[in-house]
Each structure stands twice: as C-alpha cells, then as structure tokens.
Amino acid sequence: MKHLYFLFLFISITCFGQLEPPAELQDYYSGIDFSETGLTLKTSLSNLTINKHTNILSYGWDAIQATDQNPSNASNVLLIYGWEDGSDSDCTNDLERNINLNGGSNCDYNREHIYAKSKATPAMDNTGPGADGHHIRASDVQRNGERDNLPFADGTGNSGKVNSNTNWYPGDNWKGDVARVIMYMYIRYENQCLPTNIGVGSSASTPDDMIDLFLEWNAEDPVSSYEDNRNAYHVSENTYAQGNRNPFIDNPYLATLIWGGPVAENRWSSLGVTDKSIVNIRMHPNPTTHNLVYFTTTEKLEVVVYNLLGKKIMSHTINNSKNFIDISILSKGVYLVKLNSNEVSITKKLIIQ
C-alpha cells in the first residue's frame, strides 16, 4: 500500500519542474536525469556515488584532520555532538579542539562512526565502509564512548541519551548532519547500512527502508558551511579525497524527491517552475485528533483528500477567508492531501489519530 502512496506523491512533485544543479556541480551530476523521482532517482544517485568513489581510504587520522577543520579556525577540528565553547570545566561538551589533541585520553578527540559499525549488516570493521570519510567525524573521546552504538532517536536541545538511555540524540545543531550521513551511507552501501537499523522511526510512509526521523532532521537542520567544506574536499585533488560527494549535502531536497516527508531545503534552481510558493504551505495540526485542519497560505487553493488507495474522499477550496477544511467525516488513518494552485500541485500526508 505504501508504494501506491509514493507513486501518487512523486507524480505530484514532478509538476515543479526539473532540478538544475549549479554550474560548479553540473559536471559531477552530468549523468543524472533530475526529472526522475522516487526509487529511480535513488538508484541513479547510488550508482553515481559508488562509481565516483575511486579512492578507498584507510582508517587513519590524516583524513579527519583535513576534513573536520573548523571553517573559522583551521587550528581546530569541530567535534560532532559538541556545543560549548570550552569555557566550562566539562571538556566532553566542547564544540572544537586543537587539531593535534587526538588520541584516547580524556579531553582528546577520536573518530566517531556516525553509522555505528555493529549496526551494519554485516557489521563493519575499520576498512571499506568502516573507513568512509563521509561518516567518520571528530568527536570528544568520552562523548563518543557515551554514544557507543546507540541508535539515533528524536529529542531536543544538546546531544545525549534519550528514551531511558537506550537511544542517542545528536543535538539540535547536528541532527541534520547525521541524517544526511545516514542517507549517504544508505545509497553508497545499500542494504549493509539500512536507516532502519540505526534510527528509531517508521518506514511505513517511505518506499523502502528510510525512516521518517531522518527525513524530519534533514528538513529541520539546514546544511552548514562545515558540511559543504567536507563535501568539497572529497572531490578535489587532495590526498585523502574519496572522489565522491554526499548528494544530500549538495541538495537536501533530493531526499524529499526520493522518500517524501517534510519538504527539505532546495539549494538548486528548478527548470519550468511556475509557482514555488505552494511547497512552503503548512498543514496543521498534523497528526491531528481534531475536526479541522488549517493551511497557512495567502493564495486560493483546491484541497483534495484521497485515501491510500487513491480514492477521492472530499474536495474543498480554501483562501484567506476560509483557510481550513472540516475532516470530521474521516476515520482514523493516513490520507493524502493534494494541494492545487493554478497548474501546480503537491501532495502532503495527513495522519488522523
């Protein structure tokens, strides 16, 4: 049933026109047809990412010292999961550390596998995927040990254990980085690195093993200059460059086109787009237990509600004077809400609890 949902979703999304990478990325993505969506686009990006990975790194310090430098201070590396400027006595919270303080002692930094090695199928060692520079990050030794191999789960604020210490929240400022790493590992190593093995969430609304947790984090936490710098390093002539990029850093919206979910930032222009404003419309509350669903919009929209089999249930027009629909006739479950504005449309998922 979920495959029917995504077929319908991606037919709607393609109305926005084909994505066009910026000039500096067009050569790298020259073989990709960005009119594709869903698992077809995923396969194309997977093949590209695998084929471009021409330099298989060893598990050493040199690569991480080159890629994890603070863009504002090359003498330091940024520490994933960190947030504090070093002014308090707890070094485990530090956001950055001197690039030469690497090792295994307290207040050193070491190498964190974002996709925990033991959660892969089969498990990774420190070669191949276990040495992939896109998912190994500098991390405080003790904070890395505290995370251990805990699966990621949602939370708020700074990094730490959640759900009675059974899961790990990477922190508000790092959750997008983590999501995009997991997406990369999935398309690069496929079934060995399933998102369902490393995160707590549901794959019910995606066409494969992606989970809603990482789609939400990808949309909520935009790409940073640190991520861009790491990505650019790996396609340069540098000694420790792998040759491939993380496409979800280049454009988080690619995840939306493949798996749906919340609309992530689109960093590229689109060809043939007639109206982009509809993509930013918010439908709330969602999930809902109420009889009314509201839409934040300044334009006139046709709202059509379908069940997961594609059967039309209701249709309404909303505008500034009436920005809601009455869903009291609907039973609990998942529905598809298609928003039409002139010749442009997008489909959102509505959950009634």
Side-chain angles (χ1 to χ4, degrees):
M1 186 176 293
K2 66 182 181 181
H3 294 281
L4 291 174
Y5 160 52
F6 269 83
L7 173 64
F8 184 86
L9 170 64
F10 291 123
I11 286 173
S12 298
I13 287 180
T14 56
C15 294
F16 288 93
Q18 180 175 325
L19 291 179
E20 182 180 33
E24 64 272 17
L25 295 179
Q26 287 184 5
D27 182 62
Y28 182 86
Y29 289 106
S30 62
I32 302 296
D33 178 1
F34 285 107
S35 66
E36 296 176 341
T37 54
L39 296 185
T40 303
L41 178 59
K42 176 193 170 188
T43 299
S44 296
L45 290 173
S46 178
N47 291 337
L48 177 72
T49 304
I50 293 170
N51 293 336
K52 292 283 189 179
H53 191 172
T54 55
N55 183 23
I56 307 300
L57 299 177
S58 60
Y59 186 63
W61 291 104
D62 296 311
I64 203 169
Q65 288 175 324
T67 59
D68 286 28
Q69 293 176 12
N70 183 346
S72 302
N73 181 2
S75 296
N76 288 354
V77 291
L78 291 177
L79 305 180
I80 195 162
Y81 312 141
W83 68 87
E84 203 268 330
D85 63 5
S87 59
D88 73 19
S89 58
D90 185 0
C91 65
T92 70
N93 301 332
D94 289 355
L95 177 60
E96 57 186 297
R97 189 151 300 154
N98 184 279
I99 198 168
N100 296 314
L101 290 180
N102 57 299
S105 302
N106 288 349
C107 297
D108 284 347
Y109 73 88
N110 63 359
R111 293 155 292 188
E112 158 74 326
H113 291 82
I114 302 300
Y115 198 109
K117 294 184 292 182
S118 63
K119 297 298 182 181
T121 50
M124 295 181 267
D125 55 21
N126 287 330
T127 62
D132 191 303
H134 283 291
H135 89 121
I136 297 178
R137 299 293 176 93
S139 175
D140 173 79
V141 168
Q142 292 163 278
R143 186 151 292 272
N144 188 356
E146 184 181 5
R147 187 260 164 142
D148 193 23
N149 67 345
L150 295 177
F152 295 107
D154 210 8
T156 57
N158 297 320
S159 64
K161 293 179 179 178
V162 293
N163 299 335
S164 301
N165 296 330
T166 59
N167 302 121
W168 183 258
Y169 180 61
D172 292 350
N173 293 329
W174 292 108
K175 62 184 182 181
D177 303 56
V178 165
R180 289 179 281 273
V181 166
I182 299 305
M183 292 171 180
Y184 163 84
M185 294 295 284
Y186 188 25
I187 67 168
R188 173 60 185 88
Y189 300 102
E190 300 175 312
N191 288 342
Q192 186 175 6
C193 294
L194 296 176
T196 47
N197 288 351
I198 197 64
V200 177
S202 173
S203 63
S205 295
T206 67
D208 57 12
D209 290 284
M210 181 51 65
I211 60 174
D212 48 15
L213 175 74
F214 297 128
L215 295 173
E216 291 163 5
W217 287 358
N218 179 51
E220 292 168 355
D221 180 23
V223 173
S224 65
S225 59
Y226 167 63
E227 291 178 89
D228 278 331
N229 289 349
R230 291 185 104 264
N231 216 22
Y233 180 93
H234 279 296
V235 288
S236 67
E237 298 299 321
N238 295 308
T239 303
Y240 305 104
Q242 292 189 171
N244 62 354
R245 303 182 69 92
N246 182 337
F248 306 106
I249 292 176
D250 286 332
N251 194 355
Y253 186 58
L254 295 173
T256 308
L257 293 178
I258 295 172
W259 294 293
V263 178
E265 175 191 15
N266 183 4
R267 305 182 79 192
W268 299 350
S269 61
S270 298
L271 302 175
V273 176
T274 57
D275 182 2
K276 292 184 181 179
S277 61
I278 190 173
V279 78
N280 296 317
I281 290 174
R282 181 174 172 235
M283 179 174 67
H284 59 97
N286 187 25
T288 183
T289 58
H290 303 288
N291 290 331
L292 300 180
V293 174
Y294 293 85
F295 299 83
T296 55
T297 179
T298 58
E299 58 188 289
K300 183 178 179 180
L301 292 175
E302 179 192 23
V303 179
V304 186
V305 181
Y306 299 83
N307 64 20
L308 286 179
L309 293 176
K311 180 181 178 181
K312 181 178 176 180
I313 306 298
M314 64 170 66
S315 178
H316 293 283
T317 299
I318 64 172
N319 49 42
N320 283 335
S321 60
K322 182 179 181 295
N323 67 337
F324 63 89
I325 61 172
D326 187 336
I327 59 170
S328 57
I329 67 169
L330 301 181
S331 57
K332 294 180 181 179
V334 179
Y335 296 86
L336 309 176
V337 180
K338 187 176 183 182
L339 308 177
N340 299 313
S341 173
N342 298 319
E343 298 179 355
V344 182
S345 66
I346 189 172
T347 300
K348 294 177 178 284
K349 178 178 65 175
L350 173 65
I351 301 174
I352 302 177
Q353 298 176 333

